[in-house]
Amino acid sequence: MKLIAPSILSADFTILGDEIRHAEAAGADWIHIDVMDGHFVPNITMGPMIVGVVNKITDLPLDVHLMIETPDNYIQDFAHAGADLISVHVETCPHLNRTIDLIRCSDCQAGVVLNPATSLDTIEWVLEYVDLVLLMSVNPGFGGQSFIPNTIEKIERLKQMIDAKGLPTLIQVDGGVNEKTIARISSAGADVFVAGSAIFGTGDYKKSIKNLKDRF
Ligand code: DX5
Ligand code: ZN
């Protein structure tokens, strides 16, 4: 089962409710929410309050991507706001196993995220404890960037690691996912595709999501 998770980072926030309802009606599977703190990444975006608002608008699973330092301090806030899955960057977690436990104890699914330059070795000993691994295919911080090509090999290697352990872990890819890149990303082994500008940057969300799904 392959899924599309539109990133609201590229949505029109003056009409956020309409944007999310529109994406849901157009075939979105999850809603991806990019949380940035201006420290780990050079941009500041949204916090638990926005997650709470989105939770009132849609019943779709809320996929919360934390690009923040000291994520342990905020996991409960995001869980209470309605997050279904919380993903943390390995680069921000010196005690990653404990952070994953914190997410699970908050009744959320747990994901770990790797920046483009971060090795798959960093997650070898947590793979069995997470529901999802998110591979960044751009340097995090902004929408609308170009896909970094060697992510394809990284997806293939991660898929081998997951299969070798016989795990059901999902592979998610985030950054530069569009009609041109999605087929290769999919055939490399990805399950969940985050897309911001390839959906919210277009006039017809139904057509955009169908165009992506047709290329899985
Ligand atoms: C980037 C974010 C992405 C971003 C993707 O740091 O994590 O989720 O919204 O945007 P596009 O799909 O436009 O590359
Ligand atoms: Zn993201």
Side-chain angles (χ1 to χ4, degrees), residues 17 49 58 71 77 95 102 125 158 160 162 185 196:
M49 194 185 84
T58 180
D77 292 342
H95 306 288
L102 263 174
W125 296 102
L158 174 59
Q160 285 166 11
I162 290 169
I185 300 167

Side-chain angles (χ1 to χ4, degrees), residues 7-10 32 34 36 41 65 67 136 138-145 174-177 194-198:
S7 162
I8 61 168
L9 189 62
S10 296
H32 184 85
D34 287 307
M36 305 186 189
V41 289
H65 174 190
M67 287 160 272
M136 290 307 301
V138 297
N139 289 294
F142 303 94
Q145 303 181 77
D174 184 2
V177 175
V194 177
S197 49

Side-chain angles (χ1 to χ4, degrees), residues 180-203:
K180 291 196 179 104
T181 57
I182 196 165
R184 284 291 289 125
I185 300 167
S186 179
S187 58
D191 305 289
V192 187
F193 305 82
V194 177
S197 49
I199 295 171
F200 287 111
T202 68

Side-chain angles (χ1 to χ4, degrees), residues 1 54 66 83 102 122 128 181:
M1 179 75 168
V54 176
L66 296 184
L102 263 174
T122 57
E128 66 214 87
T181 57

Side-chain angles (χ1 to χ4, degrees), residues 40-74:
F40 176 58
V41 289
N43 194 5
I44 301 175
T45 56
M46 36 203 144
M49 194 185 84
I50 297 288
V51 174
V53 168
V54 176
N55 193 38
K56 286 190 186 141
I57 296 165
T58 180
D59 291 328
L60 290 179
L62 303 189
D63 163 26
V64 176
H65 174 190
L66 296 184
M67 287 160 272
I68 62 175
E69 288 176 2
T70 60
D72 294 21
N73 296 347
Y74 303 96

Side-chain angles (χ1 to χ4, degrees), residues 153-169:
E153 185 183 343
K154 201 173 182 185
I155 299 164
E156 288 167 350
R157 288 211 210 166
L158 174 59
K159 179 75 177 152
Q160 285 166 11
M161 278 170 72
I162 290 169
D163 288 349
K165 289 178 185 272
L167 296 169
T169 321

